[in-house]
Amino acid sequence: MDKKWSGISLVRSLASCIFCKIIKGEIPSFKLIETERVYSFLDIGPLSKGHALIIPKYHAEKLHQVPDEYFADVLPAAKKIALALGSENYNLLQNNGRIAHQEVDHVHFHVIPKPSATDEEGLVVGWPAQKPSMDELKKLHEELVSKL
């Protein structure tokens, strides 16, 4: 893995990763925003007009593997893209793992405009809400707090 990109020593890449190749300019993209730690571009298979991706310039498959400093620019970039799109309704999405619908093994965030209340464009979400008891929630809460 590379330890250096454009003079930035903290960046890590993987030669076979499509997103790393996009960041390096080896694969063309419709770049929107680039900072020292993130790169954003239009999705070529959009769910709606303006669907964009934001990727950390650190190759890692899952969110918990990326150093915290790479996330500092993610939400500001997402906000700028959302404002530029002028979309009143949109989703910010990040998936980890195949069964969670991650298709590219490089952490990435989607900004997906939702122009209408139909399932024809934008993100379509199923939300299988659970109904845990208060005792179950209390036990889970205690377990999580002890690990944080």
Side-chain angles (χ1 to χ4, degrees):
M1 292 198 184
D2 295 343
K3 296 272 186 196
K4 205 166 194 177
W5 251 338
S6 305
I8 301 167
S9 61
L10 298 175
V11 178
R12 184 173 88 157
S13 69
L14 182 65
S16 61
C17 173
I18 190 169
F19 285 172
C20 291
K21 289 178 180 181
I22 288 171
I23 292 167
K24 290 179 184 180
E26 295 171 7
I27 295 175
S29 68
F30 293 100
K31 180 170 69 171
L32 297 172
I33 296 171
E34 182 174 13
T35 71
E36 184 178 317
R37 292 193 169 98
V38 300
Y39 187 98
S40 65
F41 55 100
L42 289 175
D43 193 312
I44 61 169
L47 296 181
S48 58
K49 183 179 178 181
H51 180 169
L53 298 173
I54 302 165
I55 54 178
K57 290 182 175 179
Y58 184 95
H59 180 83
E61 182 178 333
K62 295 185 177 174
L63 183 80
H64 65 275
Q65 298 167 332
V66 178
D68 290 348
E69 60 267 23
Y70 287 88
F71 297 122
D73 292 348
V74 171
L75 289 179
K79 181 179 176 180
K80 288 176 184 176
I81 292 167
L83 289 168
L85 288 167
S87 185
E88 182 178 338
N89 301 288
Y90 55 90
N91 295 91
L92 180 59
L93 175 69
Q94 199 279 317
N95 302 320
N96 292 277
R98 288 289 180 265
I99 66 171
H101 308 288
Q102 182 180 10
E103 296 295 323
V104 177
D105 292 332
H106 185 122
V107 171
H108 56 286
F109 297 78
H110 297 260
V111 178
I112 309 168
K114 185 67 175 170
S116 66
T118 70
D119 289 350
E120 299 299 315
E121 56 186 338
L123 184 64
V124 178
V125 179
W127 203 271
Q130 307 294 302
K131 295 186 192 248
S133 70
M134 285 299 128
D135 287 339
E136 290 171 311
L137 285 175
K138 181 180 179 187
K139 182 178 176 186
L140 176 60
H141 174 258
E142 290 168 356
E143 179 185 335
L144 292 173
V145 167
S146 74
K147 295 176 181 178
L148 292 174

